[in-house]
Amino acid sequence: MIATLDDAARLLRPAAHLGIVSRPLYLLPLLRAGALTALLSSEAADAGWAERFGVELHSLEEHTLSRDGGPGGPGLDGVTARLAGLVGARWRGRELRLAGYGGQRGHWTAAVEATGARLLVPPPVPDHEVLVDKTAMRGWFDHLGVPAPASTVVSGRPDHRALRDRFGAVFVAQSPRGSGGNGTHLVRSAEEAAALPERERWLVSEYVGDTAINVHGFVGVDGLPQVLRPSLQLIGVEAAGAGFGQYAGCDFGAPERLSPVAVRRCLDATERIGWALAGLGYRGVFGADFVLRDDHALALEINCRMQGSSWLLGETELERGDGRLPTPVRHVLERHGVPTLGKPDPDRADGVQLTVRHTGAPARAVRVPEAGAYVLREGALVRRGDAAGLLECGPGETVLVNLPPAGTLVRPGAVLARLVTRSPLTAPDGRTLTAGGRGLVDALHRLYSFGVSGTEG
């Protein structure tokens, strides 16, 4: 049973692990633990990470100098397709264990093995529709006695006139598969419904509000679920460039400012979901998303993988300084069949991340800020020193991470930076920036300069 970081290091470091992830930030706790030998990603890591964490890094972005707001899969396809040329014969004869953010694709394994290395992948996630399809999840929640928004499935294009009698003039239409809020639309009129693309299936739900909570859970190889920390999901933060339903970050301190009855109901529902996932054979970390309405909590979906907030959860756990394993490290170990000992931490955690996206036309980033810890002085962000995440964030500081390299063509929706801090950046609804949050976002934009129409001229 692996119980501490020291135990994990003794096991992980001799066994080479390969991280495959859309953004290196998502595996930061694994990098801090010295668990990774190499990392493949869609987006480039911030400057200095290879030397700081002693890891071999390869990204598609460093070759294309282009960043968009789409899913990471295509970018990972691009870097794995180049892999043999990038590593040459250095990996020949090596055995690498996969440390992935989500699932893995067969052609990624084939690309690694084409270098002469052998990639050991964990058992696949159980093949159940309720783990990947939002429409199946809603029926599953009902079976478990977990409340969820009223919903229906339609084909073609949602008919506003037919649906408004059931859900009211405003409702939500979603692609049954997707993450990060991609494919989610707020429909307020017949015109907006008509503008949606035709699909074989749309999941249409009542609109119940915007305050969303995510709760991390964990199912160990022993089949026992644990409920971990909740966080307020920052969703559709327009001032940070996020559209309706789009993930824009999280706040681990914010649940204390919300209805304690509703938060408790989220935790109880997550435990019930965890027991059900264990029964399906799922092992590892998962996340459950809820929307709050007064004192009620309605389940939206589950994510059976690490999430965009899992790295920050790991940072809050590492900050305890007691040597216990952060959840992302536990996930990789348990997915490979190694039992770990984890203990939920009920103490408050002040960790916030806000994703700021590019909203203009495609443009070449001529001037880009340097990653690190900053302080806001007289409306300007002033760099204080090197920092990779929350662990280096001092009082009153904000850490800038996940920045595009200078010279990158930044497309609409692409990440300009993530702001990591200890103080709230939004109101309790998770959508509206506070004055301080607005000041940070405005100051961040002033650190960038762009070429015209995607050029440097």
Side-chain angles (χ1 to χ4, degrees):
M1 179 76 71
I2 302 299
T4 69
L5 274 174
D6 288 341
D7 291 339
R10 282 191 288 270
L11 178 69
L12 290 166
R13 285 173 183 158
H17 280 72
L18 170 66
I20 300 182
V21 67
S22 57
R23 297 178 174 108
L25 179 69
Y26 289 165
L27 297 185
L28 179 57
L30 288 158
L31 290 166
R32 291 194 190 276
L36 299 183
T37 299
L39 189 149
L40 309 178
S41 60
S42 302
E43 296 179 358
D46 291 316
W49 275 35
E51 298 77 14
R52 177 175 187 151
F53 298 116
V55 64
E56 181 180 347
L57 296 172
H58 299 287
S59 72
L60 181 65
E61 186 172 73
E62 64 190 280
H63 296 280
T64 63
L65 282 181
S66 177
R67 178 176 290 197
D68 61 31
L76 290 171
D77 291 347
V79 72
T80 53
R82 292 169 165 80
L83 189 59
L86 294 174
V87 304
R90 295 196 305 279
W91 290 9
R92 189 170 302 281
R94 301 186 70 183
E95 188 173 82
L96 300 168
R97 286 175 170 79
L98 175 66
Y101 166 76
Q104 63 90 23
R105 302 182 183 181
H107 55 279
W108 297 349
T109 303
V112 172
E113 295 187 341
T115 69
R118 180 186 177 208
L119 184 63
L120 302 179
V121 300
V125 171
D127 186 20
H128 291 281
E129 282 294 293
V130 297
L131 304 187
V132 294
D133 188 285
K134 294 181 177 65
T135 61
M137 289 176 197
R138 295 295 174 88
W140 191 58
F141 291 150
D142 183 61
H143 173 72
L144 297 178
V146 173
S151 62
T152 189
V153 179
V154 301
S155 61
R157 186 179 286 119
D159 185 322
H160 187 267
R161 178 175 295 178
L163 291 166
R164 70 183 180 187
D165 291 338
R166 179 170 181 179
F167 299 121
V170 179
F171 54 82
V172 177
Q174 294 177 282
S175 169
R177 299 190 182 218
S179 61
N182 295 312
T184 298
H185 307 270
L186 184 66
V187 181
R188 295 163 292 193
S189 66
E191 291 74 20
E192 289 182 342
L196 296 176
E198 291 195 8
R199 293 187 183 276
E200 182 179 348
R201 292 182 305 149
W202 281 102
L203 174 64
V204 178
S205 307
E206 62 174 328
Y207 174 64
V208 293
D210 298 311
T211 303
I213 288 284
N214 174 269
V215 184
H216 273 85
F218 197 93
V219 182
V221 295
D222 57 6
L224 299 178
Q226 293 179 326
V227 178
L228 307 178
R229 281 181 171 145
S231 65
L232 174 71
Q233 299 295 326
L234 312 186
I235 303 291
V237 183
E238 186 177 352
F244 174 79
Q246 187 174 30
Y247 180 76
C250 63
D251 184 334
F252 279 96
E256 289 196 356
R257 302 188 291 275
L258 301 174
S259 162
V261 174
V263 172
R264 170 45 58 188
R265 286 173 170 164
C266 292
L267 301 178
D268 291 344
T270 301
E271 182 176 17
R272 184 172 296 188
I273 290 168
W275 282 110
L277 288 175
L280 295 177
Y282 179 78
R283 299 295 183 267
V285 70
F286 69 93
D289 289 337
F290 301 87
V291 64
L292 306 189
R293 181 167 58 187
D294 300 323
D295 285 340
H296 299 281
L298 303 177
L300 298 178
E301 61 182 282
I302 55 170
N303 301 299
C304 291
R305 53 172 172 78
M306 283 196 275
Q307 305 172 104
S309 56
S310 298
W311 77 269
L312 189 57
L313 171 67
E315 292 276 276
T316 67
E317 293 167 333
L318 282 169
E319 195 166 44
R320 294 177 304 205
D322 57 8
R324 282 186 287 177
L325 291 174
T327 296
V329 175
R330 291 189 66 203
H331 176 73
V332 169
L333 288 170
E334 298 255 1
R335 292 290 296 134
H336 281 280
V338 179
T340 66
L341 182 63
K343 182 180 179 182
D345 190 346
D347 294 339
R348 175 188 173 92
D350 291 320
V352 181
Q353 62 166 329
L354 174 68
T355 302
V356 181
R357 299 179 182 274
H358 180 61
T359 57
R364 190 75 61 182
V366 178
R367 180 168 57 92
V368 175
E370 184 180 1
Y374 286 75
V375 63
L376 189 64
R377 290 177 180 164
E378 298 181 353
L381 280 166
V382 179
R383 193 173 188 275
R384 297 278 292 269
D386 294 338
L390 185 69
L391 297 190
E392 298 86 15
C393 184
E397 292 182 341
T398 300
V399 175
L400 305 187
V401 290
N402 196 188
L403 307 166
T408 299
L409 179 64
V410 181
R411 302 184 187 278
V415 174
L416 288 177
R418 289 173 194 258
L419 308 180
V420 181
T421 187
R422 300 179 182 279
S423 301
L425 297 179
T426 69
D429 64 2
R431 294 189 64 198
T432 309
L433 291 180
T434 62
R438 184 67 171 180
L440 286 171
V441 170
D442 290 344
L444 172 72
H445 283 297
R446 287 193 289 271
L447 294 179
Y448 280 86
S449 64
F450 294 94
V452 179
S453 302
T455 70
E456 293 185 3

